[in-house]
Amino acid sequence: MANAASGVAVAEECVSRFQELHAGRAHRFVVFKVDDALQRVVVDKVGARAAGFGDLTSNLPADDCRYAVYDYDFTVEDATEAAGVRSKMVYASSCEGFRKELDGVQANARSGVAVNDECMLKFGELQSKRLHRFITYKMDDKFKEIVVDQVGDRTTSYEDFTNSLPENDCRYAIYDFDFVTAEDVQKSRIFYILWSPDSAKVKSKMLYASSNQKFKSGLNGIQVELQATDASEISIDQIKDRAR
């Protein structure tokens, strides 16, 4: 917070390297980084005029941030092509990382995600013994196994359940909803919910979606299924409507 409030200093070399690129066209690109103490922006890499755009992208780390300036030379025949240059650059710089992300998803989809035995055990306790109000499940950090995340006892509320769902990651969830019909009959419905918020990472959303059918098919006794990308899609009113 202190750096955010006071600002991060900029090394003089950053400005001089940019001027060499901008005015003197001495460089093809310049990459800048914040130093290890997070106190100052410094020059990280400089590419000679002979360097290509691939040289720039290969100098951008996969797991850290950078500022970068690239002097792009091109020839266009019409305004339409000129308008597409920025799009091409963005897609080119993102291509390799996106491809690796998809490769990882495909590898997991082919091998299948295992289901920990506790998942079925807890579901049986909720369905048959009514020991729990809800259960949430998640994939482990390596996306290799589905495990129990949280369990709510019978006294927990629907709000407790929705609060247990993360804002930026996916979950599978079971909720045992009790209600009274218009005829004053006490009933319950077991809901299965695929929680996949828009803010979740693409890899997470794809893996949860690809494993969804296999996982829920092992939970015998589900009565209502829902998929939700935000809280409004699983509001208590939505649950009541679907329970009827």
Side-chain angles (χ1 to χ4, degrees):
M1 292 297 292
N3 279 305
S6 62
V8 177
V10 178
E12 291 182 2
E13 185 188 17
C14 296
V15 178
S16 63
R17 291 295 186 184
F18 174 74
Q19 290 175 338
E20 290 170 357
L21 179 150
H22 177 60
R25 298 178 64 84
H27 316 301
R28 177 61 66 189
F29 66 83
V30 186
V31 179
F32 309 92
K33 69 177 182 179
V34 178
D35 64 16
D36 293 340
L38 302 181
Q39 297 292 327
R40 191 171 65 150
V41 180
V42 298
V43 172
D44 182 28
K45 301 284 177 62
V46 177
R49 291 301 296 181
F53 190 70
D55 296 315
L56 167 65
T57 57
S58 66
N59 277 285
L60 299 176
D63 57 355
D64 203 359
C65 303
R66 290 294 185 270
Y67 302 119
V69 175
Y70 185 83
D71 186 6
Y72 184 71
D73 294 331
F74 61 96
T75 302
V76 298
E77 296 180 358
D78 55 42
T80 301
E81 185 175 348
V85 169
R86 182 174 183 273
S87 177
K88 290 177 183 177
M89 291 177 67
V90 172
Y91 274 84
S93 64
S94 305
C95 180
E96 184 65 17
F98 184 59
R99 183 186 64 77
K100 288 181 179 179
E101 192 81 1
L102 293 181
D103 285 346
V105 171
Q106 290 175 339
N108 277 290
R110 286 193 297 268
S111 61
V113 178
V115 178
N116 188 280
D117 290 342
E118 187 186 17
C119 296
M120 301 306 170
L121 174 64
K122 291 298 182 184
F123 177 74
E125 291 175 351
L126 180 148
Q127 181 197 26
S128 302
K129 301 179 181 179
R130 298 179 66 84
L131 295 181
H132 316 302
R133 177 62 66 190
F134 71 83
I135 310 166
T136 61
Y137 306 92
K138 68 178 182 179
M139 292 189 186
D140 63 16
D141 293 340
K142 295 183 178 180
F143 294 99
K144 295 294 185 182
E145 186 180 36
I146 298 171
V147 298
V148 172
D149 180 30
Q150 297 189 51
V151 179
D153 63 37
R154 296 300 295 184
T155 63
T156 54
S157 66
Y158 188 71
E159 184 178 5
D160 294 327
F161 164 63
T162 56
N163 287 340
S164 74
L165 300 174
E167 294 182 359
N168 56 1
D169 202 3
C170 303
R171 290 293 186 270
Y172 302 121
I174 297 291
Y175 188 84
D176 188 5
F177 181 65
D178 293 332
F179 64 102
V180 179
T181 68
E183 295 77 23
D184 201 30
V185 178
Q186 182 74 38
K187 288 190 174 183
S188 68
R189 291 283 187 272
I190 294 179
F191 280 75
Y192 174 85
I193 299 169
L194 170 56
W195 172 248
S196 183
D198 291 332
S199 56
K201 293 181 178 179
V202 172
K203 181 177 181 178
S204 179
K205 289 191 282 189
M206 293 179 69
L207 282 172
Y208 272 81
S210 64
S211 301
N212 182 50
Q213 185 61 40
K214 178 182 177 181
F215 179 61
K216 72 180 180 181
S217 66
L219 303 175
N220 296 319
I222 294 170
Q223 295 167 305
V224 184
E225 296 180 23
L226 288 175
Q227 294 189 19
T229 58
D230 63 58
S232 67
E233 296 177 340
I234 51 170
S235 67
I236 189 63
D237 290 335
Q238 292 284 344
I239 296 298
K240 289 177 179 178
D241 287 343
R242 293 297 302 274
R244 295 171 183 169

